[in-house]
C-alpha cells in the first residue's frame, strides 16, 4: 500500500465523497456519488485498489507482525504503558486473530475482539483501550505497507458500563480527618500515610502524582504546589498521565496545614516517602 492513513470526506457542494492519496510521487483523487457509508467505502476501496500494488507481507500471520509492533512500542513506552498493552494483546487480541493472515483481516475480526471482551463483562474503559490498541496497530500496518485496511466502524456496545468505583461518604471523611489510626490484622496502629490520604482528598491528585511530590515542588509560604512527575506502580518516574499533568495549583489552608504536619515526619526527598503506588 501507499501511505493512506486518511479516509474519504463528503464534499457537500458536489454531492460526493472524495479521497486524495499519493504513491511514488503521484497524487490521485477517487470519488463516489453514493450517499452514506456505502459511498464512503466505495471511494476508499477505489483508492485502496490503486495503492494495493505496494502491499507487502500480506500472507504473514498477524501474531508475527503484532510482535514486531509490540517490540517497537517497548522501545518508547514506560513499563506502565507497555505492560498493559502487552497484557491486552495476549488476553484478547492474539487468541482471536493471531493466526489470521494479514490479507484476510477484516473489520469484523477486530469487532469480534471488542464483542468478546464485552461479553466477558469487561468495563467500557477496557473496551476503549482495546479499540485504541487495534486502531494504533492498524495504523502501524498501513505505514509499513502491510495492508490497506482502514477500520472505520469498530464500535463499543452501547450497554458497556464504566467500572463502578466506591467513594468516600461524609462519615468516612469525618473519620479520616479526626483520627490517625487504622487497623491491621485486627490491631489498631498509627497510619503512616494518613497525611497522604488527607492531602489526596483535599487536592484530587492521582496516586502517582501524590507519591512523586518532592519538597522543592512545594512553596508553603505562598501555598503553591508544582506537579512535575509521577511514580507508577513499577517504581518508574514519569512526566505524568498527559500533557496537562505538569501544572501548578494553589493550596487551601487545610491542605497547607496537612503538608506542615507531614513535614514533621519527613523533611527530605519525596514528601510522602519512597512508597510505590499499588
Amino acid at each position: 500500500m501507499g501511505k493512506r492513513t486518511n479516509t474519504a470526506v463528503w464534499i457537500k457542494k458536489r454531492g460526493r465523497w472524495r479521497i486524495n492519496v499519493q504513491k511514488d510521487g503521484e497524487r490521485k483523487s477517487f470519488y463516489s456519488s453514493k450517499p452514506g457509508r456505502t459511498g464512503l467505502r466505495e471511494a476508499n476501496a477505489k483508492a485502496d485498489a490503486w495503492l494495493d500494488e505496494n502491499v507487502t507481507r500480506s500472507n504473514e500471520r498477524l501474531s508475527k507482525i503484532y510482535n514486531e509492533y509490540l517490540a517497537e512500542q517497548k522501545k518508547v513506552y514506560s513499563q506502565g504503558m507497555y505492560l498493559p498493552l502487552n497484557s491486552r494483546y495476549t488476553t484478547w487480541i492474539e487468541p482471536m486473530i493471531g493466526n489470521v493472515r494479514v490479507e484476510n483481516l477484516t473489520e469484523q475480526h477486530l469487532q469480534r475482539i471488542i464483542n468478546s471482551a464485552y461479553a466477558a463483562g469487561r468495563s467500557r474503559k477496557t473496551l476503549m483501550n482495546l479499540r485504541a490498541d487495534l486502531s494504533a496497530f492498524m495504523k502501524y500496518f498501513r505505514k509499513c505497507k502491510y495492508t490497506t485496511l482502514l477500520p472505520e466502524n469498530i464500535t463499543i456496545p452501547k450497554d458497556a458500563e464504566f467500572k463502578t468505583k466506591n467513594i468516600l461518604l461524609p462519615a468516612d471523611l469525618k473519620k479520616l480527618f479526626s483520627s490517625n489510626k487504622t487497623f491491621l490484622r485486627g490491631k489498631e496502629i498509627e497510619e503512616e500515610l494518613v497525611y497522604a490520604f488527607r492531602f489526596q482528598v483535599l487536592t484530587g491528585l492521582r496516586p502517582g502524582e501524590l507519591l512523586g511530590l518532592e519538597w522543592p515542588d512545594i512553596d508553603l509560604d505562598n501555598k503553591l504546589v508544582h506537579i512535575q512527575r509521577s511514580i507508577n506502580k513499577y517504581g518508574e518516574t514519569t512526566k505524568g498521565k498527559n500533557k496537562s499533568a505538569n501544572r501548578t495549583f494553589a493550596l487551601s489552608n487545610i491542605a497547607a496545614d496537612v503538608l506542615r504536619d507531614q513535614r514533621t515526619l519527613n523533611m527530605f526527598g519525596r514528601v510522602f516517602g519512597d512508597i510505590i503506588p499499588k
Side-chain angles (χ1 to χ4, degrees):
M1 162 186 165
K3 297 181 179 180
R4 185 171 87 84
T5 56
N6 60 328
T7 187
V9 296
W10 178 252
I11 308 300
K12 188 175 181 179
K13 290 183 178 180
R14 297 186 176 275
R16 63 183 182 181
W17 294 94
R18 183 186 70 197
I19 180 171
N20 302 319
V21 289
Q22 184 170 313
K23 180 178 70 174
D24 297 331
E26 181 182 1
R27 182 182 176 88
K28 280 194 175 184
S29 297
F30 297 90
Y31 306 91
S32 174
S33 298
K34 296 179 181 178
R37 291 284 181 179
T38 301
L40 171 68
R41 295 191 188 98
E42 182 178 77
N44 285 339
K46 290 177 180 178
D48 290 341
W50 182 63
L51 295 168
D52 201 41
E53 296 174 0
N54 285 346
V55 170
T56 61
R57 299 179 65 184
S58 62
N59 64 340
E60 293 274 16
R61 305 239 180 229
L62 267 292
S63 58
K64 182 174 181 179
I65 299 179
Y66 206 110
N67 283 323
E68 293 175 8
Y69 167 73
L70 290 174
E72 288 296 316
Q73 304 316 302
K74 191 173 184 179
K75 296 176 183 177
V76 297
Y77 282 170
S78 66
Q79 286 191 74
M81 292 285 288
Y82 170 76
L83 292 179
L85 174 70
N86 186 54
S87 176
R88 290 191 293 269
Y89 168 68
T90 56
T91 303
W92 301 106
I93 299 174
E94 199 279 335
M96 297 199 69
I97 65 172
N99 286 326
V100 175
R101 296 188 186 279
V102 176
E103 60 189 352
N104 296 328
L105 185 66
T106 66
E107 279 188 299
Q108 187 57 32
H109 283 108
L110 308 181
Q111 185 65 57
R112 285 171 187 158
I113 295 171
I114 302 294
N115 294 347
S116 178
Y118 169 72
R122 294 302 183 266
S123 70
R124 175 173 286 273
K125 177 63 174 177
T126 297
L127 302 184
M128 291 170 63
N129 286 337
L130 268 174
R131 184 173 64 180
D133 291 346
L134 293 170
S135 296
F137 174 47
M138 293 309 302
K139 186 173 183 179
Y140 172 83
F141 261 30
R142 295 192 300 275
K143 289 171 69 176
C144 292
K145 301 182 181 180
Y146 298 155
T147 184
T148 61
L149 179 62
L150 179 64
E152 300 162 325
N153 302 297
I154 304 176
T155 59
I156 294 175
K158 294 181 179 180
D159 293 338
E161 298 180 353
F162 287 100
K163 184 179 179 180
T164 302
K165 295 183 178 180
N166 296 322
I167 63 172
L168 290 177
L169 299 175
D172 300 319
L173 292 172
K174 183 177 179 180
K175 190 179 299 183
L176 174 62
F177 283 88
S178 62
S179 173
N180 290 3
K181 303 288 186 178
T182 190
F183 285 90
L184 180 64
R185 301 185 184 92
K187 183 179 179 181
E188 190 176 53
I189 62 171
E190 290 286 334
E191 173 53 68
E192 63 177 346
L193 286 176
V194 64
Y195 298 125
F197 296 150
R198 290 174 182 173
F199 192 71
Q200 186 174 26
V201 167
L202 292 167
T203 61
L205 289 180
R206 300 182 181 97
E209 294 174 337
L210 182 79
L211 297 182
L213 272 179
E214 297 180 1
W215 286 113
D217 303 328
I218 297 169
D219 180 356
L220 279 176
D221 292 333
N222 294 303
K223 297 179 182 176
L224 295 173
V225 172
H226 182 199
I227 303 299
Q228 53 187 330
R229 77 189 65 78
S230 183
I231 309 296
N232 66 26
K233 67 179 181 179
Y234 305 102
E236 295 177 315
T237 299
T238 72
K239 294 182 179 180
K241 186 175 182 179
N242 51 46
K243 293 180 180 180
S244 301
N246 191 315
R247 63 197 185 279
T248 298
F249 64 88
L251 291 171
S252 66
N253 290 334
I254 299 176
D257 288 340
V258 167
L259 287 179
R260 291 187 182 98
D261 290 336
Q262 175 64 20
R263 195 164 57 180
T264 65
L265 303 178
N266 171 37
M267 297 179 61
F268 305 100
R270 282 163 50 180
V271 174
F272 297 106
D274 295 326
I275 296 174
I276 298 174
K278 301 298 184 183

